[in-house]
Amino acid sequence: MHATILLTRSTAVRLGLTIGLACLGSTMAHAGEVPGKRGASGEIIVTARGRAEAEIAVPDTIAVFTQADIVTRRLKTIDDFIAATPGIFMIHDQDPGTNLISVRGVSTNRSQSPSIAYIVDGLALPDSELFTLRPYDLARVEILKGPQGALFGRSASGGAVNMTTNDPTGEWGGEAAMGIGNGMTWTADGVINAPVSDQVQLRLAGSYRNSDGFIRNSFLDKKVDGSISRNLRLKARVVLSETSTLKLRLGWANEEGGAAYISSGNITSLYGGRLSGKALTNPFGDFEGRASREWWGAQATLEQELGDDLRLTWTGGYDDYHKDFVEELDFRNDKPLTFFGVPAFPNGIQPISQPIDIRAWTSEVRLTSRDDGPLRWHAGLFFQRLERDRTDDFGPLLFGAEALLAETRSNQIGAFAQASYDIAPTVEATLALRYDRDRRKEDTVGTTSGGVVAQRARTFEKWQPKVSLAWRPTNDFTAYLTGAVGFKAGGFNPLPGPADIFQAVFPAETTRSLEAGMKARLADGRVRLSLAGFVTDYENFQNTVFLGNSVVLSAPQVDVHGIEASAEADLGAGFRADAGMAWTHSRVGRYTTPNPTPEPGEPAILDLAGKRTPNAPDWTVNGGLGWQGEAGPAAINARISAAYVSRVDFEIDNILHSPGYVSADARIGVTVGAWTFDIWTQNLFDRRWAISAFGQQQLPLLLGLGPNGPFDSFTINTGRQFGASAAWRF
């Protein structure tokens, strides 16, 4: 069987230019070394390719956050990890579960499958709604960039986030922490590790956060982004025999608070679409959006050693999730609202409700070679059943019609294998291949009558190869070339009418990427460098447009290429510096579409070739300087960091956009005995920017609303946050 990665001639030329600018024995983990921590060899150990090995040996771009990084950088949410990783960008939009993640220009579309796989404790999360559940008691986080479909399957077309929580250990102990911050924000976190016996170990962890919020609605005269988050997790490790171990995990999360705290204004006409300065007003709608959600999940993992050469691993899990979400759609307090000058909504456009229910069963079995010989391999099977129900109750916009419920069912099966072979003492070749088949069906029914409005079914399938060649003349240097394919399943739009420009079913996305890079360790490991150039052919980009409801219009081609670099250095005297930058050029290659909001004098067909893809900034840069030292009995850990994000376009027409911005964070921690005290701040200089936006040129409703319309809508960031905490380790 041959795995072929196809690239166009123009792609090859761009790759040559990119790598020309960028530059151009398997280092396995030593016995006893722990993933996510520095091992005896001085290396950071990761599991990005399904086995523990040195990060420098992996022919991919990986951002690794160890336990020490998580503490010193104060990384508390998935947003924090992504903001600290160049080349990846996240929008946390409208409510706690809705998010859009872009990796190297490969973007997630709203309310559909994600473009990035999210793995927690070895199990893939079934839906992007679960991505923003609060992480806590973490062992490490690995973020892989570029298509990762060969290992993680569909929805890894842009990359993967691999998050691991702490397992129980054989020592009694724990930690309790409390914090306070502005916005009357209170936090409490705790961990108890309890070895019941030599064979059974337990770990209970919890996290609580309660905040009044930071964004004030000027009409309601109250903060509208307050929230409460409650989280618990129990893990067990049971040694069944000398060769067999069972791991169990139970998790629960409950959140409630403000949502859709969206501002409104004619940004397109008054400010040319630029969301900055005077354009960034507080929300002033007359309806307070609210959201609440609850999740619980269970996971079991069985690890069985088969002799000295093989390990069999099975993991299975169940997720149950429910979210209630209610908002307005005009984000104004005018009464009555007009539509193209005609009084249409005497009480505004409210309430709008979109509850979501998710149930998922996931299972994977994997057989892995255990030796460190010239051939290292693993193979496995994957299954996931996803049931997703979403109600679209658009209130006054239904004009008396019943709300519709979309019942989506997905059965995904996957088979995968990967083998790495040392074809020479300093050269490793890796071949991976995965087949995914996603059978989807969606029934749209009336919530009152139960009548069937539409029924659709489609199977999306793809072979996803990955080929890597790595040259390692020493344990301190790796140069590599990697080619990979990824895909994201297609889906279903609302049933179109005779005059609608969208199709009932939109196709799957496909990414074909080629990356060349190098990783080096200098000065006896005190300096670490990495550099990579990449080019991606991106087909059938699923662009979301609001035409009465969220619909996907596929752009046939997007051209992406870029360069990334990172550095980390131990400067001596307790100082340590790190920096990273990513330049990603993501542009629509060819895409003509009917004008969704035609006005007199405007063309009926829009040519959007050359436009920036939404939510994909060209530049993301960050850097930090830390210091560790002692002052008498106290150990001090301090860090200051800054991040830059260039222009962000929120829609494919590139009208509404946020100009580039810089934010800075700082933290100082003092440890005395078992106690640690922190003082911290995020967005130190209180910079304001827009984190999401809907434009009148993409949403006909906003174009026609009045009086004093048309309007655009946008969400602003929270501004500066600061606080202090105390933790006791026992």
Side-chain angles (χ1 to χ4, degrees):
M1 182 177 296
H2 299 278
T4 303
I5 299 175
L6 300 176
L7 294 169
T8 64
R9 180 178 299 178
S10 62
T11 293
V13 171
R14 286 199 310 275
L15 177 66
L17 292 174
T18 300
I19 303 309
L21 292 171
C23 103
L24 239 220
S26 176
T27 309
M28 301 303 300
H30 294 265
E33 292 186 351
V34 179
K37 296 185 178 180
R38 295 185 184 275
S41 62
E43 292 295 348
I44 295 177
I45 308 304
V46 298
T47 57
R49 295 196 295 179
R51 63 171 61 239
E53 57 186 333
E55 184 275 332
I56 198 173
V58 180
D60 278 302
T61 301
I62 310 174
V64 184
F65 300 95
T66 65
Q67 273 189 318
D69 294 327
I70 294 168
V71 172
T72 58
R73 299 190 185 196
R74 201 178 176 275
L75 304 174
K76 295 292 186 180
T77 66
I78 181 61
D79 309 59
D80 294 336
F81 288 100
I82 287 178
T85 308
I88 181 168
F89 183 74
M90 180 175 182
I91 286 179
H92 200 161
D93 195 28
Q94 103 180 10
D95 66 75
T98 301
N99 60 87
L100 299 88
I101 301 177
S102 175
V103 187
R104 290 181 170 177
V106 180
S107 300
T108 297
N109 56 299
R110 195 178 301 269
S111 300
Q112 299 294 337
S113 298
S115 299
I116 186 167
Y118 199 134
I119 317 298
V120 176
D121 290 335
L123 201 65
L125 296 183
D127 192 278
S128 61
E129 284 276 342
L130 279 61
F131 288 7
T132 51
L133 294 174
R134 191 170 183 82
Y136 55 101
D137 192 29
L138 295 176
R140 71 183 184 279
V141 175
E142 304 168 11
I143 299 180
L144 293 80
K145 291 179 278 189
Q148 303 296 329
L151 188 59
F152 298 108
R154 69 116 170 94
S155 294
S157 54
V161 174
N162 189 11
M163 186 174 289
T164 304
T165 63
N166 284 308
D167 281 332
T169 67
E171 297 181 0
W172 280 93
E175 184 175 353
M178 292 193 67
I180 185 173
N182 63 324
M184 288 302 294
T185 302
W186 294 88
T187 61
D189 296 271
V191 175
I192 297 176
N193 195 86
V196 179
S197 66
D198 291 340
Q199 288 74 38
V200 180
Q201 300 161 358
L202 301 176
R203 189 178 185 91
L204 178 65
S207 178
Y208 174 82
R209 183 181 186 272
N210 189 332
S211 176
D212 284 353
F214 308 91
I215 297 175
R216 180 171 293 276
N217 181 301
S218 58
F219 181 79
L220 299 176
D221 193 26
K222 62 182 298 187
K223 293 179 180 178
V224 288
D225 64 325
S227 63
I228 300 175
S229 175
R230 311 171 185 90
N231 306 268
L232 283 174
R233 178 172 59 242
L234 176 64
K235 298 186 75 172
R237 182 177 183 270
V238 182
V239 178
L240 302 177
S241 69
E242 292 184 356
T243 61
S244 181
T245 302
L246 176 65
K247 297 179 180 180
L248 302 172
R249 186 189 71 179
L250 291 173
W252 170 81
N254 178 275
E255 297 178 353
E256 56 185 290
Y261 30 88
I262 296 174
S263 302
S264 175
N266 192 354
I267 310 302
T268 296
S269 297
L270 297 179
Y271 303 97
R274 181 185 174 93
L275 284 156
S276 66
K278 294 181 180 180
L280 293 178
T281 60
N282 284 327
F284 53 82
D286 58 1
F287 185 88
E288 183 179 4
R290 302 290 297 178
S292 64
R293 60 177 183 163
E294 185 170 48
W295 164 86
W296 73 269
Q299 180 181 348
T301 300
L302 179 64
E303 298 176 348
Q304 176 69 56
E305 296 179 3
L306 304 176
D308 296 331
D309 299 328
L310 296 176
R311 175 182 291 112
L312 180 67
T313 304
W314 169 85
T315 184
Y318 173 74
D319 294 280
D320 189 283
Y321 176 89
H322 172 77
K323 181 182 74 176
D324 286 316
F325 170 53
V326 63
E327 64 168 342
E328 64 178 344
L329 280 186
D330 56 277
F331 312 115
R332 316 217 22 117
N333 54 65
D334 306 296
K335 297 291 180 63
L337 281 173
T338 62
F339 192 61
F340 291 103
V342 178
F345 305 105
N347 298 312
I349 307 177
Q350 61 188 34
I352 306 300
S353 177
Q354 287 184 299
I356 290 176
D357 285 284
I358 293 170
R359 294 165 300 280
W361 298 261
T362 306
S363 181
E364 182 179 280
V365 61
R366 183 185 300 237
L367 188 63
T368 305
S369 64
R370 297 177 58 203
D371 64 87
D372 295 345
L375 177 64
R376 299 163 299 280
W377 60 270
H378 67 256
L381 299 172
F382 176 87
F383 170 79
Q384 188 172 82
R385 164 73 174 182
L386 172 63
E387 298 178 354
R388 192 180 201 271
D389 298 337
R390 188 190 74 194
T391 299
D392 292 327
D393 185 351
F394 294 116
L397 293 178
L398 295 175
F399 300 103
E402 66 177 334
L404 298 180
L405 168 65
E407 300 174 334
T408 305
R409 303 293 181 261
S410 169
N411 288 312
Q412 180 195 353
I413 58 172
F416 57 92
Q418 176 175 286
S420 297
Y421 184 71
D422 297 332
I423 59 178
T426 61
V427 180
E428 177 203 73
T430 300
L431 173 63
L433 185 63
R434 177 166 177 143
Y435 170 75
D436 273 314
R437 183 179 186 271
D438 188 359
R439 173 66 175 172
R440 295 192 166 201
K441 65 184 293 288
E442 183 174 283
D443 294 343
T444 304
V445 300
T447 55
T448 303
S449 67
V452 177
V453 177
Q455 289 183 310
R456 279 81 56 85
R458 187 65 58 90
T459 297
F460 302 96
E461 55 187 345
K462 189 74 175 178
W463 288 97
Q464 300 167 88
K466 185 176 184 179
V467 180
S468 299
L469 191 65
W471 175 53
R472 304 186 188 111
T474 72
N475 287 341
D476 295 326
F477 180 85
T478 299
Y480 65 88
L481 182 67
T482 295
V485 172
F487 99 111
K488 180 172 70 173
F492 309 108
N493 283 320
L495 198 64
D500 286 325
I501 63 175
F502 56 88
Q503 303 297 316
V505 180
F506 54 88
E509 285 184 356
T510 300
T511 55
R512 298 179 178 88
S513 181
L514 195 59
E515 174 180 341
M518 54 79 64
K519 303 178 183 182
R521 188 177 61 178
L522 310 173
D524 295 326
R526 294 191 302 274
V527 178
R528 300 175 67 89
L529 304 171
S530 68
L531 184 64
F534 61 90
V535 61
T536 303
D537 280 342
Y538 186 6
E539 295 181 359
N540 293 324
F541 164 55
Q542 296 169 359
N543 179 52
T544 299
V545 179
F546 294 90
L547 301 177
N549 198 343
S550 299
V551 301
V552 171
L553 301 177
S554 294
Q557 184 68 37
V558 174
D559 299 317
V560 184
H561 56 275
I563 299 174
E564 296 180 352
S566 66
E568 181 182 339
D570 184 346
L571 305 177
F575 288 95
R576 192 171 192 87
D578 57 85
M581 78 87 185
W583 173 70
T584 304
H585 189 271
S586 179
R587 299 294 187 270
V588 177
R590 51 186 175 88
Y591 181 41
T592 58
T593 181
N595 190 340
T597 56
E599 294 188 55
E602 290 187 348
I605 301 296
L606 298 178
D607 185 356
L608 298 178
K611 296 292 186 181
R612 294 180 176 88
T613 53
N615 311 315
D618 286 356
W619 289 94
T620 50
V621 183
N622 57 35
L625 178 65
W627 179 76
Q628 294 184 11
E630 295 182 355
I636 301 174
N637 189 318
R639 176 179 168 84
I640 186 167
S641 61
Y644 168 72
V645 175
S646 67
R647 169 175 170 152
V648 178
D649 290 277
F650 297 110
E651 294 169 328
I652 202 168
D653 59 12
N654 291 182
I655 295 176
L656 279 185
H657 66 277
S658 174
Y661 56 87
V662 177
S663 62
D665 302 336
R667 172 191 175 270
I668 182 168
V670 178
T671 300
V672 180
W675 287 90
T676 298
F677 303 92
D678 277 354
I679 300 175
W680 59 272
T681 180
Q682 291 182 312
N683 193 5
L684 174 63
F685 300 108
D686 199 24
R687 296 294 304 272
R688 305 308 294 266
W689 59 83
I691 61 174
S692 68
F694 304 114
Q696 56 187 266
Q697 300 302 315
Q698 293 287 303
L699 182 52
L701 175 67
L702 296 176
L703 184 67
L705 282 183
N708 304 317
F711 308 123
D712 302 290
S713 61
F714 57 92
T715 304
I716 57 176
N717 73 320
T718 58
R720 179 170 49 229
Q721 297 186 34
F722 55 87
S725 65
W728 174 54
R729 186 178 295 274
F730 57 90

